[in-house]
Amino acid sequence: MQVQAHAMIEAPIGLVWQVLTDYERLPRFIPGISKSVIRDRRGTTLLLEQSGEARFLFFSFPIDVTLEVTESAPRWVASRAVSGNVRRMTGRYELTDEPAQRVMLRYTGLIEPDFRLPPLVGVAALRSTVAEQFTAMVAEIERRAAGER
């Protein structure tokens, strides 16, 4: 399943970058993520272990993954699964400066679970979870930006 999302955010690009890369605090503000721990960091690349679940209605699907994350501050963050219960998982956040302290935040991702999902419900759960998580990321950026004003 491929997903895309974007949002125009009124915040300095440095603040947007700070929230995107606040990996170990993600469980505090991103629904569906229960654990997010940096296991190793070498320069602009890190290994990030995450656990959580995709939810839809009363269905829940566990996701446990180790991501290789590459950063190019403050322009993009890309990740790919290197182990876990996904066959394939990639994601990329891109930040573009806009006038008047605004940032266009774009996300593209692909997820292919390594477990069976019920038709329709599984796809709906993954889409719903990604949309909810992107919305929560934007909300946290906006919350922190409002606190700086």
Side-chain angles (χ1 to χ4, degrees):
M1 180 187 80
Q2 290 186 315
V3 293
Q4 295 182 6
H6 67 276
M8 183 67 72
I9 304 170
E10 290 189 34
I13 196 166
L15 177 71
V16 177
W17 180 260
Q18 180 185 39
V19 176
L20 285 179
T21 58
D22 196 0
Y23 305 113
E24 294 195 331
R25 290 182 24 190
L26 292 177
R28 294 181 186 177
F29 58 89
I30 302 294
I33 296 180
S34 56
K35 179 176 93 174
S36 184
V37 179
I38 297 171
R39 293 297 180 199
D40 187 34
R41 181 184 278 276
R42 293 194 179 133
T44 59
T45 302
L46 59 109
L47 283 180
L48 182 65
E49 186 178 312
Q50 289 188 331
S51 298
E53 63 183 5
R55 297 180 307 264
F56 182 70
L57 300 175
F58 53 88
F59 294 95
S60 175
F61 308 96
I63 297 181
D64 293 297
V65 66
T66 299
L67 301 167
E68 178 184 75
V69 179
T70 305
E71 302 172 338
S72 181
R75 296 294 167 207
W76 55 264
V77 176
S79 64
R80 70 178 184 90
V82 293
S83 67
N85 68 343
V86 292
R87 186 169 294 124
R88 191 166 49 146
M89 183 176 181
T90 62
R92 183 178 175 101
Y93 282 99
E94 294 185 9
L95 292 76
T96 307
D97 268 326
E98 299 289 333
Q101 292 277 323
R102 293 166 48 138
V103 175
M104 173 59 76
L105 177 64
R106 290 184 175 85
Y107 174 77
T108 56
L110 175 99
I111 184 167
E112 185 180 345
D114 203 16
F115 50 88
R116 260 182 68 79
L117 292 172
L120 302 176
V121 171
V123 171
L126 292 175
R127 282 186 198 269
S128 173
T129 296
V130 170
E132 185 180 27
Q133 290 179 343
F134 183 81
T135 300
M137 179 69 75
V138 171
E140 179 66 10
I141 293 166
E142 290 174 339
R143 185 191 71 74
R144 291 188 195 184
E148 284 191 357
R149 288 186 197 120

